């Protein structure tokens, strides 16, 4: 919609935002009307209309089998659009149109914002299945008529209420129509069932919804008072009522077709199972984070014991081996510490890489500077854990073998994400400006324990490739190519 509006129309960003707000809400109008909606906006030169959005009803058959978004119609071809735009009123005159042997009733609703008509909603109702309407359908249609008048007057949608339509109740979930005093005029079967699960023993019609809802909710005076107001439909709000292991979500929509509130719509949905599953997931997430926290603590304890043992070693070779083990254990602990703070088994690896750099640089304080460029991004735990060990080994190897005692230099870690979402790759380069590789050195067969660990983790666990090459101007470059999952949006 953004591209169509900016390419073809004279609407500004504030107007576009209003259209987005309308489109986020108009599934409600479509379902209440049993009709398709198409939003037409006049083009910049005023000679045509462009369709920028479309909605089909969940409550009835569609009038459009094809996608209408992006279509251009010359002004004059659809007189009802012209009349609604020019006169700023809802236009219902005209005979039904026939589309593919289906009779369709067409109405035009002007979309007003701050006194200006931005466009026109064409409401198209498939008349093929028309029959004598039930009480539910009559209530739907009357509510749709009220909402249409509010759109034409610029009173709907409500600019101070952002609604998540994926989480908000829909028309079919349950609907209650209230009068101006908050008394129930009509309650759909689904709405009545939800209130029965809350504990209501009687019918809702003729009762004050706010008072009835407050009586079913746990007794908390300030909350009860707010609940009475919300369930009475005085303002556009959402809330949840929980009682007897049942949770019902409510959304109130005041109806002001002529500027004065004549009543309200209350949409509701039983979300008991949804909330139960959410609580189970929260409990499971908390348990997983606690496990990672305890693993991190245990690894830190192991590292402390190894560090203590290293201090008691008389052999320099044994002491160095234990200190390497401390750094390996520490790199794994960093990953578990990060996982203990996340809601899923994925981590932002850039922070881990920086901490590994700092930890390894401790073996050569002030001599060799470490820095990172590029971005690792978000990685799964099964990639992050071995990769942190690989990075530790490569950096440790560069510092120990690339620079002699007292020598200074730089080690740089570069990360680049590439590939596609289905075949994402992580390319990691670790380059130093040290003494370089010995003559005839082959990284694929070298017996160094650290390089053996790197080869095993990269090729075995990560399914990637590993190589070490000399840098022409001096130093060593390590190349890693690892398959990873794409980041979530």
């Amino acid at each position: 919609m953004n591209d169509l509006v900016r390419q073809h129309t004279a609407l500004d960003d504030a107007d576009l935002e209003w259209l987005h707000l309308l489109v986020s809400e108009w599934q409600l109008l479509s379902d209440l009307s049993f009709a398709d909606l198409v939003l037409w906006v006049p083009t910049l030169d005023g000679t045509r209309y462009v369709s920028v959005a479309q909605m089909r009803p969940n409550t009835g058959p569609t009038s459009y089998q094809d996608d209408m978004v992006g279509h251009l119609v010359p002004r004059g071809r659809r007189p009802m659009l012209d009349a609604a735009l020019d006169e700023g009123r809802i236009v219902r005159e005209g005979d039904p149109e026939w589309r593919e042997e289906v009779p369709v009733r067409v109405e035009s609703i002007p979309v007003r914002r701050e006194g200006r008509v931005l466009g026109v909603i064409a409401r198209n109702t498939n008349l093929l299945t028309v029959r004598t309407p039930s009480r539910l359908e009559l209530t739907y249609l009357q509510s749709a008529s009220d909402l249409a008048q509010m759109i034409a007057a610029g009173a709907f949608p409500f600019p101070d209420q952002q609604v998540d339509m994926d989480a908000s109740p829909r028309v079919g979930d349950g609907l209650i129509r209230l009068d101006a005093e908050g008394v129930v005029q009509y309650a759909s079967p689904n709405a009545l069932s939800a209130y029965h699960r809350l504990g209501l023993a009687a019918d809702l019609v003729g009762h004050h919804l706010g008072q009835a809802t407050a009586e079913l909710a746990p007794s908390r005076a300030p909350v009860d008072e707010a609940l009475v107001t919300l369930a009475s439909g005085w303002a556009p709000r959402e809330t949840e009522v929980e009682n007897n292991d049942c949770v019902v979500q409510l959304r109130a929509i005041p109806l002001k077709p002529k500027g004065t509130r004549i009543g309200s719509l209350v949409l509701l949905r039983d979300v008991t199972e949804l909330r139960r599953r959410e609580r189970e997931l929260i409990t499971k997430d908390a348990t997983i984070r606690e496990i990672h926290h305890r693993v991190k603590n245990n690894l830190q304890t192991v590292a402390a014991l190894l560090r203590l043992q290293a201090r008691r070693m008389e052999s320099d070779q044994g002491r160095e081996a234990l200190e390497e083990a401390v750094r390996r254990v520490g790199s794994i602990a960093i990953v578990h510490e990060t996982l203990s703070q996340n809601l899923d088994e994925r981590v932002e690896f850039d922070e881990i890489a920086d901490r590994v750099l700092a930890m390894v640089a401790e073996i050569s304080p002030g001599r060799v500077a470490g820095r990172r460029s590029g971005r690792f991004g978000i990685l799964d735990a099964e990639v992050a854990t071995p990769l942190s060990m690989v990075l530790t080994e490569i950096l440790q190897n560069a510092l120990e073998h690339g620079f002699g005692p007292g020598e200074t230099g730089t080690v740089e870690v570069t990360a680049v994400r590439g590939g596609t979402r289905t075949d994402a790759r992580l390319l990691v380069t670790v380059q130093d400006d040290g003494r370089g590789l010995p003559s005839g050195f082959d990284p694929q067969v070298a017996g160094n324990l650290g390089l053996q660990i790197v080869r095993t983790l990269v090729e075995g666990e990560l399914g990637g490739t590993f190589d070490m090459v000399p840098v022409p101007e001096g130093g060593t470059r390590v190349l890693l190519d690892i398959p990873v999952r794409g980041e979530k949006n």
Side-chain angles (χ1 to χ4, degrees):
M1 185 166 73
N2 288 354
D3 292 340
L4 288 171
V5 169
R6 288 174 178 145
Q7 179 181 355
H8 294 286
T9 78
L11 301 183
D12 58 26
D13 289 342
D15 296 332
L16 179 58
E17 185 61 32
W18 182 261
L19 295 185
H20 275 293
L21 191 59
L22 172 66
V23 168
S24 72
E25 290 271 32
W26 71 345
Q27 181 73 63
L28 173 62
L29 177 63
S30 178
D31 290 345
L32 290 173
S33 304
F34 307 99
D36 291 75
L37 305 178
V38 179
L39 177 58
W40 297 93
V41 180
T43 56
L44 184 62
D45 58 10
T47 61
R48 295 181 294 175
Y49 298 96
V50 58
S51 58
V52 298
Q54 179 179 3
M55 178 58 66
R56 293 183 173 90
N58 294 318
T59 52
T62 183
S63 302
Y64 287 110
Q65 298 300 325
D66 299 327
D67 186 5
M68 294 297 296
V69 175
H71 282 215
L72 290 164
V73 173
R75 184 177 173 89
R77 180 175 294 179
R78 299 191 178 181
M80 295 177 70
L81 290 181
D82 299 339
L85 183 69
D86 297 339
E87 300 172 23
R89 64 178 180 88
I90 298 176
V91 180
R92 295 189 175 94
E93 303 87 1
D95 297 327
E97 298 179 2
W98 287 84
R99 298 175 187 164
E100 299 180 357
E101 300 183 354
V102 175
V104 176
R105 182 175 64 243
V106 181
E107 302 168 81
S108 296
I109 305 167
V111 177
R112 192 183 303 273
R113 172 181 175 267
E114 296 181 351
R116 296 166 45 241
V117 177
L118 307 182
V120 179
I121 294 175
R123 181 164 55 177
N124 304 271
T125 306
N126 187 324
L127 299 179
L128 197 60
T129 58
V130 168
R131 53 184 173 79
T132 302
S134 65
R135 178 73 188 280
L136 179 144
E137 291 168 333
L138 288 172
T139 302
Y140 278 19
L141 292 171
Q142 180 58 53
S143 302
S145 177
D146 294 334
L147 282 177
Q149 292 182 59
M150 292 171 63
I151 292 173
F156 187 84
F158 305 109
D160 57 344
Q161 185 190 38
Q162 296 290 333
V163 178
D164 182 359
M165 293 308 297
D166 292 333
S168 186
R170 295 178 180 267
V171 170
D173 296 327
L175 177 142
I176 297 174
R177 174 82 186 220
L178 307 179
D179 65 13
E181 302 301 322
V183 176
V184 178
Q185 294 179 312
Y186 175 80
S188 71
N190 284 345
L192 193 57
S193 296
Y195 265 82
H196 284 166
R197 284 189 285 273
L198 277 174
L200 181 71
D203 193 1
L204 272 174
V205 176
H207 290 80
H208 190 280
L209 184 65
Q211 295 174 359
T213 305
E215 291 172 359
L216 296 172
S219 179
R220 294 189 297 272
V223 176
D224 286 352
E225 185 176 337
L227 188 59
V228 169
T229 302
L230 185 143
S232 299
W234 290 96
R237 295 287 185 273
E238 289 193 23
T239 191
E240 289 185 0
V241 182
E242 182 173 1
N243 192 15
N244 298 327
D245 298 324
C246 178
V247 184
V248 173
Q249 184 181 16
L250 302 177
R251 181 191 176 196
I253 304 171
L255 297 176
K256 303 177 181 180
K258 296 182 180 180
T260 302
R261 195 175 73 88
I262 62 168
S264 306
L265 282 181
V266 176
L267 304 180
L268 62 151
R269 178 173 59 160
D270 186 342
V271 292
T272 305
E273 283 302 306
L274 180 62
R275 295 296 176 259
R276 183 183 64 80
R277 291 172 189 165
E278 287 177 352
R279 288 171 186 143
E280 288 179 354
L281 288 174
I282 290 172
T283 301
K284 186 180 295 184
D285 288 340
T287 302
I288 292 173
R289 289 199 300 272
E290 178 62 22
I291 290 172
H292 284 301
H293 181 71
R294 295 189 181 188
V295 170
K296 182 263 297 184
N297 287 345
N298 290 337
L299 289 173
Q300 289 180 337
T301 301
V302 171
L305 292 174
L306 291 174
R307 194 178 294 110
L308 181 63
Q309 186 66 43
R311 294 189 186 123
R312 295 175 177 268
M313 291 289 294
E314 296 182 359
S315 166
D316 292 341
Q317 187 176 3
R319 186 183 308 107
E320 290 176 1
L322 288 176
E323 288 174 349
E324 287 182 0
V326 168
R327 285 188 286 274
R328 288 165 183 153
V329 172
S331 65
I332 301 174
I334 290 173
V335 177
H336 282 282
E337 181 180 4
T338 304
L339 287 169
S340 70
Q341 300 168 2
N342 289 354
L343 295 177
D344 56 14
E345 292 291 284
R346 312 193 79 196
V347 296
E348 176 61 64
F349 196 81
D350 294 314
E351 178 185 351
I352 293 175
D354 291 339
R355 293 179 64 179
V356 169
L357 260 171
M359 179 181 66
V360 175
E362 291 176 358
I363 65 176
S364 61
R367 293 191 300 110
V368 180
R371 63 171 179 260
R372 174 181 61 85
S373 61
R375 184 169 178 266
F376 286 86
I378 298 174
L379 300 177
D380 291 331
E382 57 263 30
V383 174
T385 301
L387 182 58
S388 68
M389 287 194 65
V390 167
L391 198 56
T392 299
E393 296 298 331
I394 294 174
L395 290 170
Q396 186 169 292
N397 187 75
L399 293 173
E400 289 185 353
H401 303 290
F403 302 92
E407 293 181 352
T408 60
T410 303
V411 177
E412 182 173 5
V413 178
T414 304
V416 178
R417 296 289 285 258
T420 64
R421 290 190 68 84
T422 56
D423 183 26
R425 315 290 299 184
L426 175 62
L427 307 178
V428 182
T429 304
V430 181
Q431 181 170 321
D432 65 69
D433 54 3
R435 64 184 65 169
L437 297 173
S439 177
F441 178 82
D442 186 352
Q444 303 303 326
V445 298
N448 180 290
L449 176 61
L451 292 182
Q452 289 181 12
I453 292 174
V454 170
R455 285 198 300 270
T456 300
L457 293 177
V458 172
E459 297 172 0
E461 287 198 35
L462 297 175
T465 60
F466 156 73
D467 197 10
M468 295 180 70
V469 295
V471 178
E473 57 270 22
T476 304
R477 181 183 296 125
V478 179
L479 305 171
L480 303 177
D481 184 352
I482 301 169
V484 295
R485 261 176 54 189
E487 294 186 18
K488 295 180 179 178
N489 291 331

